[in-house]
Structures are given as structure tokens and as C-alpha cells.
Amino acid sequence: MAPGDDRKVTGLVAATFTPLDAQGEVNLSVIGPYVDYLTEKQGIKGIFVNGTTGESMSLSVAERKVLAEEWCLRAKGRMDYVIVHVGCMSLKDSQDLARHAAKIGADGIAAISPSFFKPKTAEALRRFLQEVASAAPTLPFYYYQIPSFTGVNVPVKDVIEDIEKLIPSFRGVKFSGGDLLDFGQCVGYSQPHWSVLYGMDEQLLAGLAMGANGAVGSTYNYMGCYVDEMISAFETKDLVKARTIQFKIQELLNYAIKLGFDTGVNKQLMSDVSGLHLGPPRLPLMPCSPDLAQLLLQKYHSIFD
């Protein structure tokens, strides 16, 4: 998917978990069956790899490269989009991962803002993103905004204004924040060939109403088929059905949050629903306790079965 391609990212994109073995090492053998599950059981046609859900900030550059390569290999001919997240604290590492993504045939790259030395202005953030994107100028580039993790609250509208003058390959935003005012401004400013992808699974319906082209999220790994129904209902103006499905998703996530929902717990729920052995999260994330895992699985089945 070259920058000149008119094809936009739309629909659901699953933010994939990173399979680890019992010793905490990357387990590539799970990725093939994982792609099978997403395509055959959840109807997912796009993946966002090595992002927050994939624990990218806890992985080495070498690990992120082998994971990206395996995802691209296994998804080839099966998925419409494989977007590789290349954001790092180090500009040089981000550029290295961007060049690698282009080499292995990724369909696009995305980057978060650095979160240790944070950009204080939109201009500083734009310059960082420009340098990352320039390392792989043939790949569509997406800004991945997630202020709850980065602590960077620069309005996205300020970041994307006239951004194609700096980044000709810019093709959209993964907007993982709750500010619907800023999100609406992004949609309103978005160019016809961009994709504005909403990243708050629990309020996707609101994002769709604001004009989201699609969505990237972790729960689509195991709830993708239900969310597809919600999107279809929204598109056919059956808002009662769309809200009913969104409220079910909210019920599960609200229950999980009260029990201590995090990436490790989310990963265990995906393992239990899918039957894939995704392993534990990497420290400092802690494994989900068996009792909590059982409660969440029961709640999932009580809502969706």
C-alpha cells in the first residue's frame, strides 16, 4: 500500500498481542494460528502489530523486528493491512524499525510520541514524526495518539495541520484518546485519502457518529465479530441494535476495569476466548490470576453467548 495508493484503511483493525512462552521469550509459532483465528473466527482483515497491546515498549528492537517479519509473512494474502508500530523513545531506533518495516513488506507504519523526554509543542512532535517517516518514505505513515500512556496531550488537530508538507506519506491518525472535540476536529480536517481510526473500544459508536473511518483496538481480537455487527447496524441506521452491542461491550469492560483490567489481564482473556497460548505479559506487567481469568471468561460468555 504505497502512499500514492487510494486504498484507505477502514473497518476493524486488531491491535495484536505478542505471544510469549513460559520463560517470557517471543513465541513466533503462535502467530500463524493467531492469524487463522482472526480471519476465520473474528472476520478481521487488518492488524496493528507491536503497539501498546503488543507490549512494544517492553520489547527490544531485535524482538520487534522478528515479530513484525513473522506477522507480515503469516498475514500475506490473508489480511488487507498490516500496520507496524515503530515508535520508540529513541529516534534512531524508530527509524531503524521504519526501514525494516519497509523491507519486510508492511502496508504502513505508525509511531507514538516519545514519553520520557516529551515534545512540549505540536511543532516538536511534528518534527519527530517527520524524521521517523522519512526513514520509510514509501510507506503510509500514521500518527498514533495515546495520551493516557505517553502523557502527551498536544491537540492532534495541531499536529496534522498541513502535515503533508512535512510528511508526504502521511495517511492518518490512530486516535486513542477520549477527547471527542479534538477527534471531531481531526475528522473535519482529514483529507479524502486519510484514515482517521478510533482507538477507544468502549465508545467506538460515538467515534463512528463523529466520522471515524475505522477502528484499531485490542478487544477486536476476541470481540471483532460482534463489533462488526455494531458497525453494520450503524451503517444501516439501526441505532437501537448498534447501541445494544456497544452497551454489551461496555458492560464487559466496566466489569473488567473494576477487577483490575490491564494489558496482562486483556491478554489472558484473549487466550481464554481464542484457545491460543499467548503466554504471560512481560514485567513490569503481572500475569492475570486464575481466579480473575475465570471471572472474566464467565462474564464474557454470559454477555455474548
Side-chain angles (χ1 to χ4, degrees):
M1 189 168 66
D5 195 333
D6 291 332
R7 187 159 59 101
K8 293 175 60 167
V9 177
T10 59
L12 292 183
V13 178
T16 57
F17 296 92
T18 293
L20 300 178
D21 62 23
Q23 289 71 46
E25 299 299 322
V26 169
N27 184 5
L28 298 179
S29 67
V30 178
I31 292 178
Y34 196 152
V35 171
D36 292 341
Y37 176 80
L38 290 178
T39 56
E40 296 168 10
K41 301 297 184 182
Q42 296 298 334
I44 294 293
K45 295 299 183 182
I47 50 177
F48 186 93
V49 307
N50 292 345
T52 304
T53 302
E55 303 175 68
S56 61
M57 294 298 110
S58 297
L59 302 172
S60 68
V61 169
E63 287 174 323
R64 289 172 68 169
K65 285 182 177 180
V66 297
L67 282 160
E69 190 163 353
E70 189 70 12
W71 280 114
C72 285
L73 175 66
R74 299 299 177 183
K76 186 176 183 179
R78 309 283 308 280
M79 295 280 183
D80 294 334
Y81 324 105
V82 179
I83 300 173
V84 177
H85 172 245
V86 301
C88 297
M89 296 304 99
S90 162
L91 173 60
K92 295 297 184 182
D93 286 346
S94 294
Q95 290 175 319
D96 185 19
L97 287 170
R99 283 189 289 268
H100 179 262
K103 181 179 177 181
I104 63 175
D107 296 304
I109 54 174
I112 59 169
S113 166
S115 58
F116 188 85
F117 292 117
K118 299 177 177 65
K120 296 180 180 179
T121 64
E123 183 57 30
L125 178 52
R126 284 156 58 91
R127 290 182 61 183
F128 176 84
L129 298 175
Q130 178 188 23
E131 290 297 319
V132 176
S134 68
T138 63
L139 286 184
F141 179 83
Y142 302 87
Y143 169 46
Y144 175 12
Q145 178 251 24
I146 183 164
S148 61
F149 278 83
T150 63
V152 176
N153 287 289
V154 175
V156 179
K157 170 60 164 55
D158 293 347
V159 176
I160 65 174
E161 192 165 2
D162 293 327
I163 198 167
E164 282 186 286
K165 293 179 181 179
L166 292 175
I167 307 174
S169 59
F170 186 83
R171 289 299 179 268
V173 178
K174 178 184 184 296
F175 193 106
S176 296
D179 186 346
L180 288 176
L181 171 59
D182 191 21
F183 181 72
Q185 292 288 289
C186 290
V187 173
Y189 183 80
S190 179
Q191 305 305 301
H193 54 288
W194 293 5
S195 295
V196 182
L197 306 169
Y198 199 56
M200 303 291 284
D201 305 15
E202 66 274 20
Q203 54 194 50
L204 173 57
L205 186 56
L208 293 173
M210 295 294 288
N213 302 117
V216 181
S218 61
T219 66
Y220 310 144
N221 283 281
Y222 52 86
M223 290 195 290
C225 57
Y226 303 112
V227 181
D228 259 338
E229 287 185 29
M230 183 184 80
I231 294 174
S232 295
F234 173 78
E235 290 175 343
T236 58
K237 297 182 173 55
D238 188 348
L239 294 183
V240 172
K241 181 177 180 180
R243 283 194 294 264
T244 298
I245 297 171
Q246 182 71 92
F247 293 159
K248 287 182 177 182
I249 295 166
Q250 289 182 338
E251 181 182 355
L252 176 65
L253 293 180
N254 190 50
Y255 180 80
I257 289 167
K258 288 180 178 179
L259 294 177
F261 195 59
D262 63 10
T263 299
V265 174
N266 201 8
K267 189 177 190 179
Q268 184 62 51
L269 181 56
M270 170 58 177
S271 294
D272 291 339
V273 172
S274 67
L276 298 167
H277 298 291
L278 299 179
R282 181 167 286 179
L283 290 169
L285 291 174
M286 295 295 289
C288 178
S289 71
D291 289 344
L292 175 53
Q294 184 63 28
L295 286 172
L296 283 179
L297 186 61
Q298 289 174 351
K299 186 67 171 178
Y300 175 91
H301 286 304
S302 74
I303 294 172
F304 293 107
D305 286 355

PDB file of all heavy atoms in Angstrom, residues 68-88:
ATOM      1  N   ALA A  68       7.549  -8.370  13.700  1.00  0.00           N
ATOM      2  CA  ALA A  68       6.977  -7.700  12.531  1.00  0.00           C
ATOM      3  C   ALA A  68       7.140  -8.559  11.286  1.00  0.00           C
ATOM      4  O   ALA A  68       6.218  -8.680  10.470  1.00  0.00           O
ATOM      5  CB  ALA A  68       7.649  -6.340  12.335  1.00  0.00           C
ATOM      6  N   GLU A  69       8.299  -9.173  11.149  1.00  0.00           N
ATOM      7  CA  GLU A  69       8.558 -10.008   9.978  1.00  0.00           C
ATOM      8  C   GLU A  69       7.622 -11.211   9.942  1.00  0.00           C
ATOM      9  O   GLU A  69       7.070 -11.561   8.893  1.00  0.00           O
ATOM     10  CB  GLU A  69      10.018 -10.466   9.983  1.00  0.00           C
ATOM     11  CG  GLU A  69      10.458 -11.132   8.705  1.00  0.00           C
ATOM     12  CD  GLU A  69      11.965 -11.208   8.563  1.00  0.00           C
ATOM     13  OE1 GLU A  69      12.687 -10.624   9.397  1.00  0.00           O
ATOM     14  OE2 GLU A  69      12.416 -11.848   7.599  1.00  0.00           O
ATOM     15  N   GLU A  70       7.408 -11.842  11.101  1.00  0.00           N
ATOM     16  CA  GLU A  70       6.542 -13.017  11.144  1.00  0.00           C
ATOM     17  C   GLU A  70       5.084 -12.636  10.900  1.00  0.00           C
ATOM     18  O   GLU A  70       4.363 -13.344  10.183  1.00  0.00           O
ATOM     19  CB  GLU A  70       6.692 -13.726  12.495  1.00  0.00           C
ATOM     20  CG  GLU A  70       5.997 -15.070  12.581  1.00  0.00           C
ATOM     21  CD  GLU A  70       6.650 -16.164  11.743  1.00  0.00           C
ATOM     22  OE1 GLU A  70       7.780 -15.950  11.269  1.00  0.00           O
ATOM     23  OE2 GLU A  70       6.028 -17.230  11.564  1.00  0.00           O
ATOM     24  N   TRP A  71       4.641 -11.535  11.479  1.00  0.00           N
ATOM     25  CA  TRP A  71       3.267 -11.084  11.240  1.00  0.00           C
ATOM     26  C   TRP A  71       3.048 -10.802   9.762  1.00  0.00           C
ATOM     27  O   TRP A  71       2.019 -11.180   9.179  1.00  0.00           O
ATOM     28  CB  TRP A  71       2.959  -9.833  12.066  1.00  0.00           C
ATOM     29  CG  TRP A  71       2.633 -10.066  13.499  1.00  0.00           C
ATOM     30  CD1 TRP A  71       3.367  -9.682  14.592  1.00  0.00           C
ATOM     31  CD2 TRP A  71       1.473 -10.720  14.024  1.00  0.00           C
ATOM     32  NE1 TRP A  71       2.740 -10.064  15.752  1.00  0.00           N
ATOM     33  CE2 TRP A  71       1.576 -10.696  15.431  1.00  0.00           C
ATOM     34  CE3 TRP A  71       0.358 -11.324  13.439  1.00  0.00           C
ATOM     35  CZ2 TRP A  71       0.605 -11.249  16.274  1.00  0.00           C
ATOM     36  CZ3 TRP A  71      -0.614 -11.876  14.268  1.00  0.00           C
ATOM     37  CH2 TRP A  71      -0.486 -11.835  15.660  1.00  0.00           C
ATOM     38  N   CYS A  72       3.993 -10.114   9.130  1.00  0.00           N
ATOM     39  CA  CYS A  72       3.855  -9.808   7.694  1.00  0.00           C
ATOM     40  C   CYS A  72       3.845 -11.083   6.867  1.00  0.00           C
ATOM     41  O   CYS A  72       3.052 -11.210   5.916  1.00  0.00           O
ATOM     42  CB  CYS A  72       4.989  -8.888   7.248  1.00  0.00           C
ATOM     43  SG  CYS A  72       4.823  -7.168   7.784  1.00  0.00           S
ATOM     44  N   LEU A  73       4.696 -12.023   7.223  1.00  0.00           N
ATOM     45  CA  LEU A  73       4.769 -13.282   6.478  1.00  0.00           C
ATOM     46  C   LEU A  73       3.461 -14.056   6.585  1.00  0.00           C
ATOM     47  O   LEU A  73       2.908 -14.520   5.578  1.00  0.00           O
ATOM     48  CB  LEU A  73       5.929 -14.126   7.017  1.00  0.00           C
ATOM     49  CG  LEU A  73       6.077 -15.529   6.421  1.00  0.00           C
ATOM     50  CD1 LEU A  73       6.447 -15.447   4.949  1.00  0.00           C
ATOM     51  CD2 LEU A  73       7.146 -16.319   7.193  1.00  0.00           C
ATOM     52  N   ARG A  74       2.960 -14.211   7.793  1.00  0.00           N
ATOM     53  CA  ARG A  74       1.756 -15.014   8.020  1.00  0.00           C
ATOM     54  C   ARG A  74       0.490 -14.331   7.536  1.00  0.00           C
ATOM     55  O   ARG A  74      -0.490 -15.012   7.189  1.00  0.00           O
ATOM     56  CB  ARG A  74       1.625 -15.353   9.513  1.00  0.00           C
ATOM     57  CG  ARG A  74       2.780 -16.169  10.062  1.00  0.00           C
ATOM     58  CD  ARG A  74       2.907 -17.504   9.351  1.00  0.00           C
ATOM     59  NE  ARG A  74       4.059 -18.258   9.822  1.00  0.00           N
ATOM     60  CZ  ARG A  74       4.432 -19.439   9.325  1.00  0.00           C
ATOM     61  NH1 ARG A  74       3.744 -19.976   8.332  1.00  0.00           N
ATOM     62  NH2 ARG A  74       5.482 -20.058   9.797  1.00  0.00           N
ATOM     63  N   ALA A  75       0.485 -13.016   7.524  1.00  0.00           N
ATOM     64  CA  ALA A  75      -0.720 -12.286   7.114  1.00  0.00           C
ATOM     65  C   ALA A  75      -0.778 -12.047   5.605  1.00  0.00           C
ATOM     66  O   ALA A  75      -1.823 -11.642   5.088  1.00  0.00           O
ATOM     67  CB  ALA A  75      -0.790 -10.946   7.839  1.00  0.00           C
ATOM     68  N   LYS A  76       0.315 -12.301   4.906  1.00  0.00           N
ATOM     69  CA  LYS A  76       0.349 -12.051   3.474  1.00  0.00           C
ATOM     70  C   LYS A  76      -0.724 -12.860   2.755  1.00  0.00           C
ATOM     71  O   LYS A  76      -0.825 -14.072   2.914  1.00  0.00           O
ATOM     72  CB  LYS A  76       1.727 -12.408   2.902  1.00  0.00           C
ATOM     73  CG  LYS A  76       1.889 -12.043   1.439  1.00  0.00           C
ATOM     74  CD  LYS A  76       3.297 -12.320   0.951  1.00  0.00           C
ATOM     75  CE  LYS A  76       3.473 -11.889  -0.504  1.00  0.00           C
ATOM     76  NZ  LYS A  76       4.854 -12.145  -0.986  1.00  0.00           N
ATOM     77  N   GLY A  77      -1.570 -12.171   1.997  1.00  0.00           N
ATOM     78  CA  GLY A  77      -2.659 -12.828   1.293  1.00  0.00           C
ATOM     79  C   GLY A  77      -3.873 -13.123   2.152  1.00  0.00           C
ATOM     80  O   GLY A  77      -4.904 -13.566   1.638  1.00  0.00           O
ATOM     81  N   ARG A  78      -3.757 -12.867   3.452  1.00  0.00           N
ATOM     82  CA  ARG A  78      -4.866 -13.138   4.378  1.00  0.00           C
ATOM     83  C   ARG A  78      -5.478 -11.839   4.921  1.00  0.00           C
ATOM     84  O   ARG A  78      -6.660 -11.793   5.228  1.00  0.00           O
ATOM     85  CB  ARG A  78      -4.377 -13.966   5.590  1.00  0.00           C
ATOM     86  CG  ARG A  78      -3.580 -15.219   5.259  1.00  0.00           C
ATOM     87  CD  ARG A  78      -4.439 -16.364   4.795  1.00  0.00           C
ATOM     88  NE  ARG A  78      -5.549 -16.685   5.672  1.00  0.00           N
ATOM     89  CZ  ARG A  78      -5.448 -17.417   6.800  1.00  0.00           C
ATOM     90  NH1 ARG A  78      -4.267 -17.878   7.195  1.00  0.00           N
ATOM     91  NH2 ARG A  78      -6.513 -17.694   7.510  1.00  0.00           N
ATOM     92  N   MET A  79      -4.642 -10.833   5.077  1.00  0.00           N
ATOM     93  CA  MET A  79      -5.053  -9.566   5.660  1.00  0.00           C
ATOM     94  C   MET A  79      -4.938  -8.453   4.623  1.00  0.00           C
ATOM     95  O   MET A  79      -4.053  -8.469   3.769  1.00  0.00           O
ATOM     96  CB  MET A  79      -4.164  -9.215   6.859  1.00  0.00           C
ATOM     97  CG  MET A  79      -4.278 -10.154   8.041  1.00  0.00           C
ATOM     98  SD  MET A  79      -5.750  -9.774   9.018  1.00  0.00           S
ATOM     99  CE  MET A  79      -5.562 -10.948  10.369  1.00  0.00           C
ATOM    100  N   ASP A  80      -5.826  -7.485   4.727  1.00  0.00           N
ATOM    101  CA  ASP A  80      -5.751  -6.326   3.844  1.00  0.00           C
ATOM    102  C   ASP A  80      -4.660  -5.351   4.275  1.00  0.00           C
ATOM    103  O   ASP A  80      -4.061  -4.674   3.435  1.00  0.00           O
ATOM    104  CB  ASP A  80      -7.090  -5.586   3.815  1.00  0.00           C
ATOM    105  CG  ASP A  80      -8.194  -6.414   3.170  1.00  0.00           C
ATOM    106  OD1 ASP A  80      -7.864  -7.283   2.335  1.00  0.00           O
ATOM    107  OD2 ASP A  80      -9.365  -6.185   3.499  1.00  0.00           O
ATOM    108  N   TYR A  81      -4.448  -5.239   5.595  1.00  0.00           N
ATOM    109  CA  TYR A  81      -3.485  -4.278   6.107  1.00  0.00           C
ATOM    110  C   TYR A  81      -2.684  -4.887   7.252  1.00  0.00           C
ATOM    111  O   TYR A  81      -3.253  -5.472   8.171  1.00  0.00           O
ATOM    112  CB  TYR A  81      -4.164  -3.010   6.665  1.00  0.00           C
ATOM    113  CG  TYR A  81      -5.392  -2.549   5.943  1.00  0.00           C
ATOM    114  CD1 TYR A  81      -6.653  -2.750   6.496  1.00  0.00           C
ATOM    115  CD2 TYR A  81      -5.307  -1.874   4.723  1.00  0.00           C
ATOM    116  CE1 TYR A  81      -7.798  -2.314   5.847  1.00  0.00           C
ATOM    117  CE2 TYR A  81      -6.449  -1.439   4.069  1.00  0.00           C
ATOM    118  CZ  TYR A  81      -7.695  -1.665   4.633  1.00  0.00           C
ATOM    119  OH  TYR A  81      -8.818  -1.236   3.991  1.00  0.00           O
ATOM    120  N   VAL A  82      -1.372  -4.698   7.190  1.00  0.00           N
ATOM    121  CA  VAL A  82      -0.504  -4.956   8.341  1.00  0.00           C
ATOM    122  C   VAL A  82       0.237  -3.653   8.615  1.00  0.00           C
ATOM    123  O   VAL A  82       1.127  -3.258   7.862  1.00  0.00           O
ATOM    124  CB  VAL A  82       0.507  -6.089   8.088  1.00  0.00           C
ATOM    125  CG1 VAL A  82       1.386  -6.288   9.325  1.00  0.00           C
ATOM    126  CG2 VAL A  82      -0.204  -7.389   7.731  1.00  0.00           C
ATOM    127  N   ILE A  83      -0.183  -2.967   9.667  1.00  0.00           N
ATOM    128  CA  ILE A  83       0.466  -1.721  10.064  1.00  0.00           C
ATOM    129  C   ILE A  83       1.406  -2.036  11.220  1.00  0.00           C
ATOM    130  O   ILE A  83       0.995  -2.629  12.231  1.00  0.00           O
ATOM    131  CB  ILE A  83      -0.563  -0.665  10.487  1.00  0.00           C
ATOM    132  CG1 ILE A  83      -1.513  -0.362   9.315  1.00  0.00           C
ATOM    133  CG2 ILE A  83       0.136   0.616  10.956  1.00  0.00           C
ATOM    134  CD1 ILE A  83      -2.663   0.544   9.675  1.00  0.00           C
ATOM    135  N   VAL A  84       2.656  -1.664  11.077  1.00  0.00           N
ATOM    136  CA  VAL A  84       3.664  -1.942  12.093  1.00  0.00           C
ATOM    137  C   VAL A  84       3.945  -0.669  12.882  1.00  0.00           C
ATOM    138  O   VAL A  84       4.313   0.368  12.295  1.00  0.00           O
ATOM    139  CB  VAL A  84       4.964  -2.468  11.449  1.00  0.00           C
ATOM    140  CG1 VAL A  84       6.042  -2.682  12.515  1.00  0.00           C
ATOM    141  CG2 VAL A  84       4.700  -3.772  10.698  1.00  0.00           C
ATOM    142  N   HIS A  85       3.768  -0.753  14.192  1.00  0.00           N
ATOM    143  CA  HIS A  85       4.114   0.385  15.039  1.00  0.00           C
ATOM    144  C   HIS A  85       5.622   0.407  15.247  1.00  0.00           C
ATOM    145  O   HIS A  85       6.220  -0.595  15.650  1.00  0.00           O
ATOM    146  CB  HIS A  85       3.400   0.294  16.391  1.00  0.00           C
ATOM    147  CG  HIS A  85       3.872   1.332  17.349  1.00  0.00           C
ATOM    148  ND1 HIS A  85       4.534   1.024  18.515  1.00  0.00           N
ATOM    149  CD2 HIS A  85       3.834   2.682  17.285  1.00  0.00           C
ATOM    150  CE1 HIS A  85       4.866   2.137  19.133  1.00  0.00           C
ATOM    151  NE2 HIS A  85       4.450   3.153  18.407  1.00  0.00           N
ATOM    152  N   VAL A  86       6.247   1.553  14.986  1.00  0.00           N
ATOM    153  CA  VAL A  86       7.711   1.671  15.066  1.00  0.00           C
ATOM    154  C   VAL A  86       8.156   2.696  16.098  1.00  0.00           C
ATOM    155  O   VAL A  86       9.355   2.974  16.223  1.00  0.00           O
ATOM    156  CB  VAL A  86       8.297   2.028  13.682  1.00  0.00           C
ATOM    157  CG1 VAL A  86       7.937   0.967  12.656  1.00  0.00           C
ATOM    158  CG2 VAL A  86       7.833   3.415  13.207  1.00  0.00           C
ATOM    159  N   GLY A  87       7.223   3.257  16.853  1.00  0.00           N
ATOM    160  CA  GLY A  87       7.580   4.292  17.810  1.00  0.00           C
ATOM    161  C   GLY A  87       8.456   3.781  18.941  1.00  0.00           C
ATOM    162  O   GLY A  87       8.234   2.704  19.484  1.00  0.00           O
ATOM    163  N   CYS A  88       9.467   4.563  19.284  1.00  0.00           N
ATOM    164  CA  CYS A  88      10.389   4.245  20.382  1.00  0.00           C
ATOM    165  C   CYS A  88      10.737   5.541  21.119  1.00  0.00           C
ATOM    166  O   CYS A  88      10.421   6.640  20.659  1.00  0.00           O
ATOM    167  CB  CYS A  88      11.690   3.639  19.846  1.00  0.00           C
ATOM    168  SG  CYS A  88      11.531   2.074  18.984  1.00  0.00           S
TER     169      CYS A  88
END
